[in-house]
Amino acid sequence: MSELEISQRPAPQKWSKKEVLGHLCDSAINNLQRFIKIQYEEEPFVLTPYNQVEWVKIQGYQELRIDEILDLWVSLNKKIINVIKNIPNEKLGLQCNIGSNELMTLQWLIQDYLEHMEHHITKQILTSFSGFPNTH
């Protein structure tokens, strides 16, 4: 993809493909912490939400080179893979509160992270430019 294609925003309040990849970096940062903390914090571990739009804006992904964002995404996900590989099977059933007192397991949280990443990559980054919103 050209720098123009990955940097183009379909509208002022929508993310470019670079910003979507940046959002996936932010998701990795937050979920890496969750995958670690849920293993030793009191159960159920309460997920702390984060303002996705502000994270993308404050980190300035739109102004960064795509290779910087991609390097960060790869590095974070390598770390996540390492953490997931080292989770003992008996900890996969640990409970976390995902909001509104809805309890899910660590295994569900990991699967949700992967589905979230796949959604953004296949539906927004690798497809032709179609104008996607700045949230999921």
Side-chain angles (χ1 to χ4, degrees):
M1 292 181 227
S2 70
E3 183 67 27
L4 178 63
E5 182 182 7
I6 61 173
S7 299
Q8 185 179 13
R9 288 182 179 146
Q13 299 303 313
K14 297 188 183 269
W15 285 340
S16 67
K17 292 181 182 211
K18 277 201 309 192
E19 290 171 309
V20 172
L21 185 59
H23 163 66
L24 290 177
C25 291
D26 297 341
S27 175
I29 291 166
N30 280 275
N31 280 289
L32 175 60
Q33 176 180 234
R34 292 168 177 170
F35 298 158
I36 293 168
K37 284 184 165 185
I38 193 173
Q39 295 184 67
Y40 68 85
E41 294 278 338
E42 185 176 325
E43 195 177 5
F45 176 71
V46 178
L47 298 187
T48 305
Y50 66 102
N51 186 320
Q52 300 167 15
V53 174
E54 289 299 319
W55 273 64
V56 168
K57 184 172 85 174
I58 290 169
Q59 297 211 58
Y61 291 116
Q62 185 68 2
E63 291 76 38
L64 293 177
R65 292 187 345 255
I66 189 62
D67 61 318
E68 282 184 65
I69 304 168
L70 192 55
D71 287 347
L72 176 61
W73 181 81
V74 168
S75 182
L76 287 165
N77 280 285
K78 283 181 177 180
K79 187 64 181 163
I80 286 173
I81 289 168
N82 186 56
V83 168
I84 290 171
K85 280 181 9 185
N86 290 306
I87 296 173
N89 284 339
E90 62 271 12
K91 293 202 175 199
L92 291 172
L94 290 172
Q95 300 272 306
C96 60
N97 181 341
I98 63 169
S100 302
N101 289 321
E102 186 176 1
L103 298 179
M104 295 300 204
T105 65
L106 173 55
Q107 184 168 350
W108 178 89
L109 192 62
I110 293 167
Q111 185 63 40
D112 184 64
Y113 172 73
L114 296 173
E115 289 171 5
H116 170 253
M117 185 169 38
E118 181 180 20
H119 164 79
H120 283 297
I121 291 171
T122 60
K123 303 276 193 240
Q124 297 177 333
I125 295 174
L126 296 179
T127 61
S128 61
F129 198 73
S130 59
F132 32 85
N134 62 1
T135 60
H136 36 266

